[in-house]
Amino acid sequence: MDSELDTSVEAGRDEHEDFVDIESEVDEALGNDSDDELARRARIRAAARTGSPVPLASLAAQIEEQAENEDSGDLPEGRFADRELSWLAFNARVLEQAEDQDLALLERAWFLAIFASNLDEYFMVRVAGLKRRIATGLAVPSASGLTPRQVLEGITEGAKELMTRHAAVFANDIRPKLAEEGIEILHWDQLDTRQHEGLRKMFRSDIFPVLTPLAVDPAHPFPYISGLSLNLAVVVRNPGTGKEHFARVKVPPLLPRFIAVDDEGRPFRPEDVSLMKGRTAFVPLEEIIGAHLDTLFPGMEVVEFDTFRVTRNEDVEVEEDDAENLLTALEKELMRRRFGPAVRLEVAEGISDHVLSLLMKELDVREADVYRLPAPLDLTGLNVIHDLDRPELKYKKYVPVTARGLADVESSTPTDFFEAIREQDILLHHPYDSFATSVQQFIAQAAADPKVLAIKQTLYRTSGDSPIVDSLIKAARLGKQVLAIVEIKARFDEAANIEWARKLEQAGVHVVYGIVGLKTHCKLCLVVRQEEDGLRRYCHVGTGNYHSKTARGYEDLGLLTSNRDVGQDLTRLFNQLSGYAPRSKFHRLLVAPRTVRPGLLERIEREVENKRQGKEAWIKIKVNSLVDEKLIDALYRASQEGVPVAIQVRGICALRAGIPGLSENITVRSILGRFLEHSRIFAFCNDGDHDVFIGSADLMHRNLDRRVEALIKIIDPGQIRRLIELLDIATDEGTSSWHLEADGWRRVDVDDEGRHLTDIQELLMKNARARVKS
């Protein structure tokens, strides 16, 4: 062990006596199964489960000591869970969805794909960031008290356990059950002669021409392996000399991940599978290639081949202050992203030691970064299986309804949005309320209306065939003033957003990229219309992106309003984004990075003061992630004063709930289901005059300090009641959810008699359908 590690370990022991050293090299840990080592790893898992190096007993002792010292206003060390380990716990909840025997079978396969895709991004960004901080010497402890090395070891232990479990769920549960339903995912050697022959023909015509075998020898250096690509490591032998050679064959990413073949041996692409009759057999593309390696290396003997997959650091960093043209700088950075260092190597079980050693050496990865899994690798490809037309194996179809206030009954006649919004504020709840007949139609009407003079819009993520982008282009071509604030740095959508930014510019749209140093994450649309009594501004403020496809699967909220104060707020904010207005003041908006955190802290402290005065007090919050230490500490202090705090969080939660003397008045629930819970709600009792906001901001440093976010205050009494009721149902004991307890997350989906608890998403779909029928 090197001296740097020795120093950091001693520091960790001094700081956390109860936390046994988890900072030894992972390579040594994984190869040592002594009783002491097993105990050490058990403590690593315990720390990973709670996200903290401070055990509950130590935390309780601190709280008791501070309670005895009445003058102490300190909160205990170890009160924060680590954000990276908390995210891993979130993905474990996704995996539990795949394990849920009550879910429709193809949906369980879909959750396997989501788990794998989530983990890919996690390694590309978060794990890569940890490794970068360690390599550059910036390995300072996080708020949880864990050093980056400690966090990395916890991730390694947890991720290997979860990936092994993930593979086992597929191999031992979902795959056999799919076969029972006539959907077989087979290895090459499980196919019959006719199927082999049909796939051989397909290989020669459709696959062989696009393959490029790359030899590795003194004249051919080890090839670059792109991130997330699936590859074959091939060993061939020259029969004349007996010498073995290594080669790499990349599995073409543009070809289908699984190839379907019927009993007659006819292959089908995934989009044509509905034409097949009888049972459907799918074969991983890499196994078809592996079975035909002799055609790629004629005259050579194929000794072995193994599949492997590399995950690289693919986070993008652009120094905006030094970039004359942000688009150009980002495009260059996207090219560099392809060459980021490897952070994970997945290999199929059975790979030979000498091939694995070669891969590790050439890719510069340690044993701790190697994940041995049963084939097939890359189960993100199960999306292809999920897309099969087998409705009996999926969630029952749900058709979104038109929102309250936009149509009393479902009708083919378009609503006059301007008249409807003048009449009342309209609260939208997607996907229960249709995005297409609300937000999308609102912008389309604005683009076509001759009275509309200007449209201003933020675009963070949008789809490739976006109707909203088309509407903005139409509006510009009709001579309207159109402004698009395009966030081209939206992670992993950068290339698409560059393309759309240029398309908008070519149509005459004024495209700007927000404020230097800040991502524009707020979801805003402002329409300026000339009416008989003067100009009127129509606004949409939302919690989700203007993305017509994800709007069908993401749970989000939005407000359509022509309120004068909101119109002034959006005008000022758009001026701030497109020009120079750093000191803008707002009526109904809280805007990060200046006023979201202070505004929320002020309201939390008001609830504490009201509680002290004997007034009614409570706090209810729904977010995707809760990490910000200042806000968490404020919630802890509210809990200590007896203020009930109810939190619904989908993903990361750095708050430790249910700890006596600290957070016994805080309940934290997490809901996962067919729709991705994405909306943000902040509700405060305010002595009965309820104070409620919705908006784009999660409670994370990046949202509160490095992004432009907007929360809007809801003022309609009926809408306030509706949002509070939504929070109450989500955190109710009778609702199926995951509960954050002192020692980690626990799923609670049945009552004491074994009856299923309420599924809030099913309830909301049922209520939406009933509204249409009534």
Side-chain angles (χ1 to χ4, degrees):
M1 188 183 296
D2 58 40
S3 58
E4 179 187 346
L5 267 178
D6 285 333
T7 302
S8 61
V9 170
E10 289 304 320
R13 286 188 180 126
D14 292 341
E15 186 174 356
H16 303 298
E17 294 180 359
D18 293 313
F19 185 68
V20 175
D21 165 30
I22 66 167
E23 214 166 43
S24 302
E25 286 289 352
V26 182
D27 301 9
E28 297 174 9
L30 295 177
N32 184 348
D33 289 329
S34 67
D35 290 344
D36 288 346
E37 177 57 30
L38 291 174
R40 188 185 75 84
R41 289 173 64 183
R43 281 186 277 266
I44 295 172
R45 286 192 290 272
R49 190 168 58 250
T50 61
S52 172
V54 181
L56 290 175
S58 176
L59 192 59
Q62 287 187 65
I63 294 168
E64 185 177 347
E65 182 180 339
Q66 289 166 357
E68 292 173 358
N69 182 4
E70 295 181 0
D71 295 332
S72 173
D74 294 338
L75 291 170
E77 293 183 7
R79 64 190 181 274
F80 302 119
D82 185 83
R83 63 157 290 167
E84 312 303 350
L85 298 177
S86 179
W87 184 93
L88 210 57
F90 153 68
N91 214 29
R93 299 197 290 279
V94 175
L95 183 55
E96 286 187 47
Q97 289 285 88
E99 294 169 333
D100 188 344
Q101 300 293 326
D102 292 324
L103 282 188
L105 185 57
L106 285 178
E107 306 300 351
R108 295 180 61 202
W110 178 58
F111 277 111
L112 284 180
I114 293 172
F115 171 92
S117 178
N118 285 348
L119 206 59
D120 285 348
E121 183 172 336
Y122 179 64
F123 272 88
M124 286 190 291
V125 178
R126 305 306 309 179
V127 176
L130 278 171
K131 286 177 171 286
R132 186 168 59 243
R133 290 200 295 277
I134 293 169
T136 55
L138 300 176
V140 296
S142 67
S144 69
L146 292 169
T147 68
R149 289 182 184 272
Q150 289 174 326
V151 174
L152 190 58
E153 187 171 56
I155 289 171
T156 301
E157 186 81 11
K160 290 196 172 183
E161 181 180 317
L162 287 176
M163 290 172 70
T164 299
R165 187 169 134 198
H166 176 252
V169 173
F170 172 70
N172 303 329
D173 184 7
I174 292 179
R175 188 175 189 168
K177 285 186 171 66
L178 286 171
E180 291 173 7
E181 297 294 340
I183 303 168
E184 297 180 298
I185 302 175
L186 302 175
H187 295 295
W188 175 263
D189 58 12
Q190 293 176 302
L191 302 175
D192 62 29
T193 303
R194 286 186 297 181
Q195 291 170 324
H196 279 167
E197 186 54 37
L199 290 174
R200 284 194 183 95
K201 292 179 181 178
M202 181 188 186
F203 175 83
R204 288 192 293 268
S205 62
D206 296 350
I207 302 174
F208 178 76
V210 297
L211 296 178
T212 305
L214 296 174
V216 177
D217 57 33
H220 301 87
F222 192 87
Y224 175 77
I225 310 295
S226 54
L228 301 187
S229 65
L230 196 60
N231 303 270
L232 296 182
V234 184
V235 177
V236 294
R237 180 185 296 118
N238 186 321
T241 65
K243 187 175 181 180
E244 292 187 350
H245 303 270
F246 177 86
R248 171 259 193 162
V249 179
K250 181 177 180 177
V251 178
L254 297 181
L255 293 179
R257 177 71 182 82
F258 293 96
I259 304 296
V261 59
D262 65 14
D263 292 338
E264 302 298 319
R266 290 172 296 196
F268 290 78
R269 287 180 173 268
E271 59 269 24
D272 299 325
V273 167
S274 59
L275 302 176
M276 296 177 65
K277 296 180 180 179
R279 300 180 69 81
T280 306
F282 288 91
V283 188
L285 177 59
E286 66 271 21
E287 294 206 17
I288 299 173
I289 296 171
H292 296 85
L293 288 174
D294 57 331
T295 62
L296 289 172
F297 303 97
M300 302 290 281
E301 298 174 4
V302 178
V303 178
E304 68 169 288
F305 67 90
D306 304 281
T307 53
F308 71 96
R309 186 170 182 259
V310 177
T311 310
R312 293 187 176 277
N313 177 351
E314 298 206 12
D315 205 5
V316 168
E317 296 181 12
V318 176
E319 295 295 334
E320 296 178 51
D321 294 335
D322 300 328
E324 293 182 6
N325 185 312
L326 186 57
L327 249 69
T328 302
L330 188 59
E331 285 178 314
K332 290 180 180 177
E333 183 62 29
L334 287 173
M335 289 297 294
R336 286 196 292 270
R337 170 193 273 179
R338 296 179 57 248
F339 300 94
V343 295
R344 178 179 60 163
L345 172 61
E346 298 169 85
V347 297
E349 290 176 341
I351 188 170
S352 63
D353 291 342
H354 68 279
V355 172
L356 179 57
S357 296
L358 173 66
L359 291 175
M360 291 172 61
K361 177 186 174 184
E362 295 292 346
L363 295 168
D364 192 23
V365 299
R366 302 180 310 154
E367 175 66 29
D369 302 319
V370 177
Y371 293 76
R372 295 174 175 85
L373 299 165
L377 303 181
D378 187 16
L379 292 182
T380 60
L382 289 175
N383 279 322
V384 171
I385 308 299
H386 176 259
D387 290 343
L388 290 173
D389 186 19
R390 295 290 299 273
E392 75 279 11
L393 301 179
K394 296 184 181 182
Y395 290 123
K396 292 182 180 177
K397 187 174 182 180
Y398 174 73
V399 179
V401 303
T402 298
R404 293 184 182 98
L406 290 179
D408 294 331
V409 295
E410 295 295 297
S411 170
S412 59
T413 304
T415 300
D416 183 334
F417 274 79
F418 304 111
E419 180 182 349
I421 297 170
R422 280 196 303 271
E423 187 175 320
Q424 62 180 332
D425 284 3
I426 298 167
L427 183 67
L428 308 170
H429 193 189
H430 312 299
Y432 313 104
D433 297 332
S434 169
F435 183 83
T437 62
S438 57
V439 178
Q440 194 171 302
Q441 188 61 30
F442 166 61
I443 297 171
Q445 277 196 18
D449 190 329
K451 294 182 180 179
V452 169
L453 305 179
I455 302 173
K456 300 185 179 186
Q457 174 101 40
T458 61
L459 292 173
Y460 188 73
R461 300 186 196 275
T462 188
S463 52
D465 53 351
S466 170
I468 287 177
V469 169
D470 291 343
S471 291
L472 296 178
I473 289 172
K474 178 180 179 180
R477 288 175 175 166
L478 289 174
K480 304 182 194 309
Q481 182 89 358
V482 182
L483 171 70
I485 311 292
V486 178
E487 183 45 77
I488 58 173
K489 301 186 299 300
R491 182 174 286 145
F492 301 121
D493 276 348
E494 298 96 342
N497 286 2
I498 288 171
E499 179 183 344
W500 282 108
R502 290 202 162 124
K503 183 176 179 181
L504 288 164
E505 285 177 326
Q506 290 167 2
V509 174
H510 299 294
V511 178
V512 297
Y513 306 112
I515 299 173
V516 170
L518 299 174
K519 279 188 178 181
T520 303
H521 191 249
C522 49
K523 326 297 183 184
L524 309 171
C525 181
L526 173 66
V527 173
V528 182
R529 191 171 189 259
Q530 179 69 59
E531 299 186 349
E532 292 181 0
D533 55 351
L535 293 178
R536 186 183 294 267
R537 287 169 287 199
Y538 295 85
C539 310
H540 174 262
V541 180
T543 68
N545 300 307
Y546 293 102
H547 195 302
S548 57
K549 291 182 179 178
T550 59
R552 294 194 288 269
Y554 281 36
E555 178 272 340
D556 270 305
L557 292 161
L559 184 73
L560 289 167
T561 181
S562 61
N563 177 271
R564 179 180 175 85
D565 286 345
V566 178
Q568 288 183 348
D569 283 354
L570 261 62
T571 299
R572 290 171 179 170
L573 183 50
F574 273 109
N575 287 344
Q576 187 173 322
L577 292 170
S578 64
Y580 299 101
R583 294 297 174 187
S584 298
K585 294 184 179 180
F586 303 100
H587 301 286
R588 283 177 58 186
L589 292 186
L590 295 176
V591 178
R594 288 187 59 212
T595 60
V596 172
R597 185 191 283 112
L600 295 177
L601 286 172
E602 177 186 334
R603 285 162 176 81
I604 294 171
E605 290 161 5
R606 184 180 62 195
E607 295 303 313
V608 171
E609 186 58 34
N610 284 344
K611 185 68 176 179
R612 288 172 179 162
Q613 295 178 17
K615 299 176 182 178
E616 183 185 8
W618 48 253
I619 299 165
K620 299 173 183 180
I621 293 173
K622 178 179 187 290
V623 287
N624 292 281
S625 298
L626 173 56
V627 173
D628 188 74
E629 291 85 13
K630 290 181 180 179
L631 284 163
I632 291 175
D633 277 350
L635 294 173
Y636 282 146
R637 295 187 188 282
S639 172
Q640 290 176 324
E641 293 289 340
V643 178
V645 179
I647 299 172
Q648 181 189 349
V649 59
R650 174 172 57 89
I652 302 167
C653 183
L655 181 148
R656 299 181 69 177
I659 297 173
L662 180 69
S663 56
E664 71 267 37
N665 291 309
I666 302 177
T667 58
V668 179
R669 303 289 184 260
S670 183
I671 292 174
L672 281 74
R674 69 184 291 174
F675 304 131
L676 185 144
E677 295 285 330
H678 192 251
S679 67
R680 294 89 167 180
I681 310 172
F682 305 89
F684 305 90
C685 179
N686 193 28
D687 193 25
D689 184 15
H690 299 154
D691 203 3
V692 179
F693 289 80
I694 65 170
S696 61
D698 281 313
L699 302 185
M700 305 178 74
H701 305 144
R702 70 184 187 193
N703 300 87
L704 303 178
D705 298 323
R706 302 191 298 277
R707 289 184 174 184
V708 180
E709 306 275 13
L711 305 181
I712 184 169
K713 181 179 175 68
I714 304 298
I715 61 174
D716 179 271
Q719 293 173 358
I720 290 172
R721 285 194 300 272
R722 184 176 163 196
L723 291 170
I724 293 174
E725 181 184 56
L726 194 64
L727 291 169
D728 288 341
I729 295 172
T731 55
D732 186 80
E733 294 296 322
T735 297
S736 177
S737 64
W738 280 261
H739 295 197
L740 180 58
E741 299 175 345
D743 60 349
W745 290 94
R746 178 173 65 93
R747 188 173 191 181
V748 181
D749 58 347
V750 295
D751 62 17
D752 294 339
E753 281 73 41
R755 293 171 299 201
H756 286 283
L757 299 179
T758 300
D759 182 315
I760 188 172
Q761 295 184 351
E762 290 288 341
L763 176 65
L764 292 171
M765 285 188 289
K766 179 181 177 182
N767 290 346
R769 291 190 196 100
R771 193 173 78 238
V772 174
K773 294 176 182 176
S774 61

